[in-house]
Amino acid sequence: MNLTVEIGRLKLKNPVMSASGTFGYAEEFSDFVDLNKLGAIVVKGISIKPMEGNPPPRICETACGMLNSIGLQNVGLKKFLKEKLPYLNKLKTIIIVNILGNSISDYVKLSKTLEDSGIEAVELNVSCPNVKKGGISFGINDKMLAKLISKVRQSAQKITLITKLSPNVSNIPLFAKVAEDSGSDAISLINTIPALAIDIETWKPKLANITGGLSGPAIKPIALRMVWEAAETVKIPVIGIGGIMNAGDAIEFLLAGATAIQVGTGNFVNPGATIDILEGIEDYLKRKSINDIKGIIGGMNGKCTNNNSDN
Amino acid sequence: MNLTVEIGRLKLKNPVMSASGTFGYAEEFSDFVDLNKLGAIVVKGISIKPMEGNPPPRICETACGMLNSIGLQNVGLKKFLKEKLPYLNKLKTIIIVNILGNSISDYVKLSKTLEDSGIEAVELNVSCPNVKKGGISFGINDKMLAKLISKVRQSAQKITLITKLSPNVSNIPLFAKVAEDSGSDAISLINTIPALAIDIETWKPKLANITGGLSGPAIKPIALRMVWEAAETVKIPVIGIGGIMNAGDAIEFLLAGATAIQVGTGNFVNPGATIDILEGIEDYLKRKSINDIKGIIGGMNGKCTNNNSDN
Amino acid sequence: MSKNFRAKVINNFALNPRTFLLEIEPIEETIAPKPGQFYMIQPDSSYDPLLKRPFSYIRKSNGKIQFLCAIKGKGTRLMMNFHSNKIISMLGPFGNGYPIFKSNHISLLIAGGTGIASILSLSNEVQNKYLIYGARTRDELLLLDKIEELGDRFIVCTNDCSYGKKGMVDELLKDFISSHKDNINSIIIYACGPLPMLKAISKISAENNIKGFASLEENMACGFGACLGCAVKTKQGYQRVCKEGPVFPFKEIIW
Amino acid sequence: MSKNFRAKVINNFALNPRTFLLEIEPIEETIAPKPGQFYMIQPDSSYDPLLKRPFSYIRKSNGKIQFLCAIKGKGTRLMMNFHSNKIISMLGPFGNGYPIFKSNHISLLIAGGTGIASILSLSNEVQNKYLIYGARTRDELLLLDKIEELGDRFIVCTNDCSYGKKGMVDELLKDFISSHKDNINSIIIYACGPLPMLKAISKISAENNIKGFASLEENMACGFGACLGCAVKTKQGYQRVCKEGPVFPFKEIIW
Ligand SMILES: Cc1cc2nc3c(=O)[nH]c(=O)nc-3n(C[C@H](O)[C@H](O)[C@H](O)COP(=O)(O)OP(=O)(O)OC[C@H]3O[C@@H](n4cnc5c(N)ncnc54)[C@H](O)[C@@H]3O)c2cc1C
Ligand SMILES: Cc1cc2nc3c(=O)[nH]c(=O)nc-3n(C[C@H](O)[C@H](O)[C@H](O)COP(=O)(O)OP(=O)(O)OC[C@H]3O[C@@H](n4cnc5c(N)ncnc54)[C@H](O)[C@@H]3O)c2cc1C
Ligand SMILES: Cc1cc2nc3c(=O)[nH]c(=O)nc-3n(C[C@H](O)[C@H](O)[C@H](O)COP(=O)(O)O)c2cc1C
Ligand SMILES: Cc1cc2nc3c(=O)[nH]c(=O)nc-3n(C[C@H](O)[C@H](O)[C@H](O)COP(=O)(O)O)c2cc1C
Ligand code: FES
Ligand code: FES
């Protein structure tokens, strides 16, 4: 059975990856899964300087989901290269580094340094505020996004460039196209959706940061719609993310047109989720007598009509 | 205990309303609730001509939510006035008519006719595609929205005008402000979020229309964030909608700044939900020794920072 | 008297690995159901699954109501584990059941699979009747004890020939028609089962000019006419399975 | 040996209306826990609630593990109804437990409310010990049978005076310190309970220059260091309750 998929220059053993921020720096999962079996590992978002993150409480549960406002806590580029990369380099799987910054030059510096350190792929987290543009996030402004990606592409030419789209836009096809046209090798989506929960006894928000990002099964149908819209629009591979808990969920994303998928919140509920999903996909293909994963990618019957007549 | 709230010129007995499309034309709920006890009833969206709606399947369940693609099926303005209004007029509660159209003139005609028929309030469903502008929905284009609301306001000057915002935008405060500045008396949010579910056995979308609108507990944290952002931005009343199943949920929306709330999907799961919620709010106020509902509206501790540093 | 009520589980047991018989007793005063009507049953008190599930009742006696439920997905898997005395939340009875005619005619009841539940609710209420009941295998022919009292007016078949006649109900229907050529005009068909079966029966009925009714299924959010989710295409436009249905005349349905 | 395992519920009963004692037995091979460590327990197999819940173990014996659980919200309400033989999904043991010192010292164990669970896991492992245990009322003093063997080294109090001494554990701590002035340097405090209690104890310890450790709680998504959700502020920046904790030296915590 052929499970391999290509993302840019990367050839993945299989389409199952971990999602950034939910898999630590992989070592945290070595008790639970054979890391070498994964298609790729996306590590927690790295910024140039270490970030200490937001005050607690940082997470809370919601119906079929959770909010987080970790605040992009990370060890910073230097410490990542020195302390985390050696462990990752020993793994026989592709490592994708999720990066974040407050300016274009941050992203350029991060991707260039990572390329020079032998990293094969970066994923741009563009949901962060651009401090120079009044804190508007790169991910919701098509012109800013185009510029960001082009600049990164110019400086880091060999690295596989994945742009992680924000779900917080009206028009996913537009942003998918911008990413493609600006030189992304692939796009991944969705990131968490900004959300709020309030404690009705204390009248305080449940997170110290007030809002947080919603993830988990609750967002799956939204993510799936966006992945489908994106996949119908661009030719570069689309990586599906959002509420994937089991093989059935992953298969939905593949059918919608995703070339690969990432498991986020699912890792918390079941730390063996990635491998369970991989095995579940294999079983499914066997049962359906399909011997290449590509036989299901984009297999959904139905054309994008961009028809908004819900309700 | 004072539960009354004001929305434009309307004085509601209490802040609990039904959401459009989930309460039929009210009569469907007469077996379950004392309709006269509700703060207001918002009826299924009405268009000028009857609409037959989308082919089945029209609904499916998702994690803590559901998708619908009813396709705005409705009896049309004429039949509404003739067959549905007489029953509604007998009720001792405020009736709000949700309206939808494919052009500005549709909305103008609907609101004017309804005003002339003695209807006190309309809610503009602006998630529908504008056929003249290539099918882009009014609700995701601020300029189109401003024009729509101004025109409706000019022609129907007495009616209370509620604009129902689409969640499918990056910047809710912008759209809230547009609604306020263009003459809306209030805003309500959120409508359903476009979403997709796929049957992995048949490879077909679970809805014949492919996509549908996500509603229910799954979307509550997103709705609550948007309601809070809107309430922090505008002075006109904000009506909170999205995943309200019980009194606790309703209170979260009031604390976030909503002056009133609408119950949608909750009515399906528990057809007595609206009254249960009303009673639950009363119990809560008693327990907290608060004798005016206004004592909790906007009570959440926390300022809008528009800080997007989730994750 | 309420259509939104709580009920206590009295009995719940497996009839085969994919089907269980659920008996409940409302703990509030409820409205008496009519043949062909259905109830909405809440599988769990969490929001996952969120919606109640529609089930035809088999019969109501001594205040207890019986359901025959096939295990399909999340909801029915949870319901399968309902233990005795559990309190569950229900809605109903809903829908327009089977129309019962006073005239002197033959009621031909046709059930496929769990469609037998709805057909049995009717069976008790009509007189001059025959019942055709089909399933894939012997193992899937359920509640035979409740039916066999019909004697030779009860015709049963399995696709795999493991019990009764071999074949599908539509073939039995053709046989039935051939052997009742004389009083064909007095036959009224009532059918409940899988869509392909209903479609086939409706076609045969049309060809033979026999009046008939089918009980349809469609995904439901509310069950009582509010969401417009359960539409089926009919000659009068979309109609709601939960309100105008679940029973529709064959000739109204656009298959 | 796995930290991701299924377990069978052996016993589950209410100690008072707000607390239950849960005993489980892993059905896969697991790792032995150390005092102060905790497990993540899945309340339900649906996605609502979604996350597993953290609970300190009381003790592990004969392969069985005991937990003391206070009913707080959705998850614990479901767990309260775990019936015997139910198979549940668990993770653990996680965290750095209480540091145990070889030196010759007095271990002063302090528990408030359900904090007694974590403290009891330690109690079995240390020798020269005292235990101060407080709760609001007699009714909330739990597992006394497991503790009373400590005899006069066991000091108990309730806020409402319904059992033992009247007052809060911090007052008892002050008394204890006064009566142990001589060997104050050999005292090591281990505390688990509500945050205000821990804060008060930490303050008294600092004033008296006593070394001590507190077991903290914070919302958790994973329990094993991956999500960074359970951060608490310490002198070394944010640390993870699930990984660097749940036990931290008093003097490291920024309260
Ligand atoms: C009027 C009516 C009467 C019915 N009577 C019976 C009966 O007596 N015995 C019986 O075994 N089944 C009956 N069904 C079908 C039964 O409702 C479904 O099998 C059941 O809802 C499946 O739920 P699930 O959670 O196991 O499946 P899931 O696939 O998890 O359900 C997901 C969603 O789809 C809906 N759904 C799935 N299949 C159907 C279906 N066939 N019809 C309607 N909704 C569906 C569910 O209600 C739920 O909202 C009836 C359906 C209708 C409409
Ligand atoms: C290391 C550790 C050990 C614990 N040991 C025990 C114990 O032995 N006995 C006991 O009764 N309780 C213990 N707790 C607290 C227990 O985890 C919570 O009471 C429980 O998670 C509440 O779940 P719920 O679903 O009932 O509440 P809900 O309010 O519905 O929970 C919502 C979410 O918040 C989280 N949450 C709520 N309260 C807490 C809390 N205090 N700590 C961490 N997460 C919380 C839940 O885990 C869940 O994710 C411990 C907590 C931690 C961190
Ligand atoms: C605790 C947590 C931390 C996250 N951190 C990051 C991050 O650093 N960078 C990033 O791009 N996405 C981050 N995400 C988003 C996830 O990678 C993923 O896009 C999102 O959670 C949706 O997938 P899920 O529903 O499977 O969790 C984080 C998500 C969670 C829950
Ligand atoms: C079946 C269904 C039909 C709906 N029809 C309409 C409609 O006609 N007009 C409208 O503005 N909103 C409509 N809505 C949206 C609801 O009014 C509400 O905004 C949305 O469902 C979110 O609230 P909830 O989570 O409480 O359901 C509909 C929702 C559902 C589920
Ligand atoms: S199920 Fe809601 S209208 Fe039929
Ligand atoms: S709970 Fe996830 S890092 Fe501690």
Side-chain angles (χ1 to χ4, degrees), chain B residues 21 24 28-29 31-32 52-59 61 64-66 70 73 217 245-246 267-272, chain C residues 3-4 42 47-53 91 94 218-222 224-229 231-233 238 240:
Chain B
E28 290 84 347
F29 281 81
D31 275 345
F32 302 108
E52 74 159 354
N54 287 326
R58 289 178 172 188
I59 60 161
E61 197 182 55
C64 289
M66 61 174 278
I70 306 303
Q73 176 180 345
M245 306 297 282
N246 55 42
N267 291 308
F268 304 151
V269 178
N270 168 17
Chain C
K3 291 188 174 181
N4 187 359
Q42 183 166 48
Y47 296 142
D48 176 38
L50 180 67
L51 303 170
K52 291 186 163 74
R53 270 50 177 164
L91 303 175
F94 290 140
E218 191 47 72
N219 289 359
M220 294 186 172
C222 68
F224 49 89
C227 73
L228 308 182
V232 285
K233 193 114 194 163
Y238 286 120
R240 295 166 294 185

Side-chain angles (χ1 to χ4, degrees), chain B residues 61, chain C residues 38 51-56 68-77 114 117-118 216-220 241 246:
Chain B
E61 197 182 55
Chain C
F38 67 94
L51 303 170
K52 291 186 163 74
R53 270 50 177 164
F55 290 92
S56 305
L68 179 70
C69 311
I71 297 167
K72 295 282 177 176
K74 225 178 214 177
T76 44
R77 268 198 300 273
T114 50
S118 162
L216 300 184
E217 294 186 0
E218 191 47 72
N219 289 359
M220 294 186 172
V241 169

Side-chain angles (χ1 to χ4, degrees), chain B residues 125-288:
Chain B
N125 177 359
V126 294
S127 302
C128 322
N130 178 350
V131 288
K132 295 209 177 122
K133 294 273 178 182
I136 292 177
S137 103
F138 289 100
I140 62 170
N141 181 309
D142 54 333
K143 304 215 169 47
M144 260 163 53
L145 184 65
K147 197 162 160 202
L148 171 66
I149 299 171
S150 313
K151 293 283 180 191
V152 170
R153 180 76 294 170
Q154 276 163 36
S155 89
Q157 300 189 352
K158 292 193 307 287
I159 208 161
T160 292
L161 195 60
I162 303 168
T163 303
K164 183 165 181 178
L165 299 184
S166 162
N168 209 17
V169 301
S170 306
N171 192 342
I172 279 288
L174 169 68
F175 287 82
K177 200 84 189 62
V178 161
E180 178 173 50
D181 293 346
S182 316
S184 278
D185 297 304
I187 54 178
S188 60
L189 69 165
I190 61 173
N191 212 316
T192 55
I193 306 178
L196 170 66
I198 303 175
D199 184 323
I200 65 166
E201 295 308 325
T202 63
W203 295 20
K204 284 199 290 200
K206 290 196 180 173
L207 302 181
N209 187 52
I210 307 183
T211 61
L214 179 64
S215 63
I219 68 169
K220 191 186 76 170
I222 302 171
L224 198 62
R225 186 260 303 175
M226 291 184 168
V227 163
W228 173 66
E229 287 180 346
E232 294 272 302
T233 309
V234 295
K235 293 199 184 61
I236 53 175
V238 174
I239 302 167
I241 323 170
I244 298 177
M245 306 297 282
N246 55 42
D249 296 335
I251 292 162
E252 277 191 80
F253 277 88
L254 296 170
L255 289 171
T259 297
I261 58 96
Q262 293 181 9
V263 183
T265 303
N267 291 308
F268 304 151
V269 178
N270 168 17
T274 44
I275 297 299
D276 289 352
I277 288 169
L278 176 57
E279 289 172 359
I281 293 174
E282 289 183 86
D283 291 345
Y284 177 86
L285 294 177
K286 257 180 229 148
R287 181 159 66 79
K288 295 273 182 190

Side-chain angles (χ1 to χ4, degrees), chain D residues 206-227:
Chain D
E207 287 160 5
N208 291 278
N209 222 348
I210 301 176
K211 181 155 127 182
F213 300 88
S215 178
L216 301 184
E217 293 184 0
E218 191 48 71
N219 290 357
M220 292 185 173
C222 68
F224 49 89
C227 72

Side-chain angles (χ1 to χ4, degrees), chain A residues 41-248:
Chain A
I41 291 172
V42 187
V43 294
K44 173 76 188 157
I46 299 290
S47 50
I48 296 183
K49 298 251 173 278
M51 288 174 71
E52 74 160 353
N54 286 327
R58 288 178 171 187
I59 59 161
C60 76
E61 196 182 57
T62 65
C64 289
M66 61 172 280
L67 304 188
N68 89 78
S69 64
I70 307 302
L72 303 167
Q73 177 179 342
N74 76 88
V75 296
L77 180 61
K78 218 162 112 188
K79 212 163 164 184
F80 170 75
L81 293 175
K82 197 163 152 243
E83 292 177 14
K84 306 293 178 185
L85 195 55
Y87 178 83
L88 295 168
N89 274 339
K90 270 184 276 170
L91 299 175
K92 288 184 216 65
T93 183
I94 290 165
I95 303 300
I96 300 173
V97 182
N98 180 279
I99 61 174
L100 57 107
N102 291 316
S103 64
I104 291 181
S105 65
D106 284 357
Y107 286 94
V108 167
K109 182 167 171 202
L110 282 160
S111 43
K112 186 68 187 135
T113 312
L114 288 164
E115 182 176 270
D116 294 344
S117 312
I119 291 289
E120 290 176 281
V122 289
E123 182 181 57
L124 309 182
N125 177 357
V126 294
S127 300
C128 322
N130 177 350
V131 289
K132 295 212 177 118
K133 295 272 176 182
I136 292 176
S137 102
F138 288 99
I140 62 171
N141 182 309
D142 53 332
K143 301 213 172 48
M144 259 162 52
L145 185 64
K147 197 164 159 199
L148 171 66
I149 299 172
S150 313
K151 293 283 180 190
V152 170
R153 181 75 295 170
Q154 276 164 34
S155 88
Q157 299 188 352
K158 291 192 307 286
I159 208 160
T160 292
L161 195 59
I162 303 167
T163 303
K164 183 164 179 179
L165 299 184
S166 163
N168 209 18
V169 300
S170 306
N171 192 341
I172 279 288
L174 169 67
F175 286 83
K177 201 85 189 63
V178 162
E180 178 173 49
D181 292 346
S182 316
S184 279
D185 297 303
I187 54 177
S188 60
L189 68 166
I190 62 174
N191 212 317
T192 55
I193 307 178
L196 170 67
I198 303 174
D199 183 324
I200 66 167
E201 295 308 325
T202 63
W203 293 20
K204 284 199 290 201
K206 288 196 181 174
L207 301 180
N209 188 52
I210 306 183
T211 60
L214 180 63
S215 64
I219 67 169
K220 191 186 76 173
I222 302 171
L224 199 62
R225 185 262 302 173
M226 291 183 168
V227 164
W228 173 65
E229 287 180 345
E232 294 273 301
T233 309
V234 295
K235 293 199 185 62
I236 52 175
V238 174
I239 303 168
I241 323 170
I244 298 177
M245 305 297 281
N246 55 42

